[in-house]
Amino acid sequence: MSDSMTTMLGIGSLLSIESATKTFQPQNFRLGHVPGWERTFSLAAPMCVPRGGNLATGEIACLAARPIACAKRRAAAPPMAVSVFELDAEETAKYYGREYGYNFTQVEYVEADGTVKTGQIPALTTEKAWLAAHPEMKERLAAIKKEWPEVFYHWEAPDAAPEGLPLLLPPRYYLKICRTGAEELGCADSYLDTTFLYDGRSVREYLADAPDVEEETRAVCKARS
């Protein structure tokens, strides 16, 4: 691989090659696994609102990755399935500029043939830590927070949400994209069992508790030529 290429690991909508190719020009799109990590719907995203999110129901959460904190649970957890792909330097810079709120972290992942390599994963971070790393984004983030104050209640103090605000949940349109991508990539079970909501339930458990959401977000896979 060229030194100018960066290996990225997709965890949510970027499990879908269709979604990835609408975003940038990924090369060598494939399946990989990251031991010791999990997905969490703990990042509130204002862009979810105009796309089909719902502030009234709290359905404004996007995904981020995080290391499994509990050593016992980490040892027993299955590896998190991800998409793996390469981006050139220009595409990588655009990706970083668009994806605010993430700490792109270099982690080890396992290729389909068992080879262990490293790639960058969009990891969960705090507002303070993110702004320390990206001070040039301070004014942009302040403007977004002013427009969508409800969206950011959890970022620094998730247990101190103002009374009356709903539990943070994944938007149904986004969950459907993720489920479809996972199904097409061959990692549907991994997605359901290594992805967690803000309240600690796995996506599989959430869908079992909410059959209407399960039905509405069921994967719709397209036939590949």
Side-chain angles (χ1 to χ4, degrees):
M1 185 178 71
S2 168
D3 291 341
S4 64
M5 304 296 287
T6 300
T7 298
M8 292 292 185
L9 308 177
I11 62 168
S13 61
L14 295 181
L15 293 171
S16 164
I17 190 169
E18 181 180 1
S19 180
T21 52
K22 287 180 179 177
T23 306
F24 33 55
Q25 298 177 21
Q27 299 183 31
N28 195 19
F29 194 90
R30 61 202 185 274
L31 175 67
H33 291 85
V34 181
W37 283 68
E38 63 191 10
R39 280 170 277 260
T40 173
F41 275 108
S42 296
L43 182 65
M47 74 285 291
C48 290
V49 179
R51 294 178 183 175
N54 190 329
L55 277 173
T57 60
E59 294 177 38
I60 54 171
C62 276
L63 278 174
R66 66 184 175 194
I68 301 173
C70 172
K72 185 175 181 180
R73 193 165 72 83
R74 184 169 61 250
M80 179 180 68
V82 296
S83 63
V84 184
F85 52 91
E86 276 72 44
L87 297 178
D88 64 25
E90 183 179 354
E91 294 277 5
T92 298
K94 290 179 181 178
Y95 188 30
Y96 290 159
R98 190 185 67 252
E99 297 294 331
Y100 75 88
Y102 292 106
N103 174 24
F104 282 90
T105 303
Q106 196 82 1
V107 299
E108 290 189 341
Y109 73 92
V110 183
E111 293 273 10
D113 64 0
T115 304
V116 178
K117 297 182 179 179
T118 60
Q120 293 190 27
I121 201 165
L124 189 66
T125 186
T126 64
E127 179 180 353
K128 183 177 180 180
W130 185 74
L131 283 176
H134 303 279
E136 74 281 0
M137 299 295 288
K138 184 175 182 179
E139 290 186 6
R140 178 183 171 190
L141 182 60
I144 294 172
K145 290 179 70 175
K146 185 176 181 180
E147 183 176 1
W148 303 105
E150 309 97 318
V151 167
F152 290 91
Y153 69 82
H154 76 291
W155 203 359
E156 285 297 328
D159 297 325
E163 186 176 353
L165 282 175
L167 181 70
L168 199 61
L169 294 170
R172 300 183 190 198
Y173 82 90
Y174 182 72
L175 187 54
K176 186 168 188 169
I177 293 171
C178 295
R179 293 185 69 188
T180 298
E183 185 74 36
E184 293 180 339
L185 196 57
C187 59
D189 285 334
S190 174
Y191 179 80
L192 294 175
D193 294 326
T194 64
T195 307
F196 295 88
L197 272 62
Y198 175 72
D199 63 1
R201 287 179 293 171
S202 69
V203 166
R204 188 185 295 278
E205 291 168 331
Y206 169 55
L207 295 176
D209 292 339
D212 60 322
V213 179
E214 199 288 326
E215 177 66 27
E216 189 174 336
T217 64
R218 193 169 294 165
V220 178
C221 300
K222 296 181 179 179
R224 293 191 182 183
S225 57

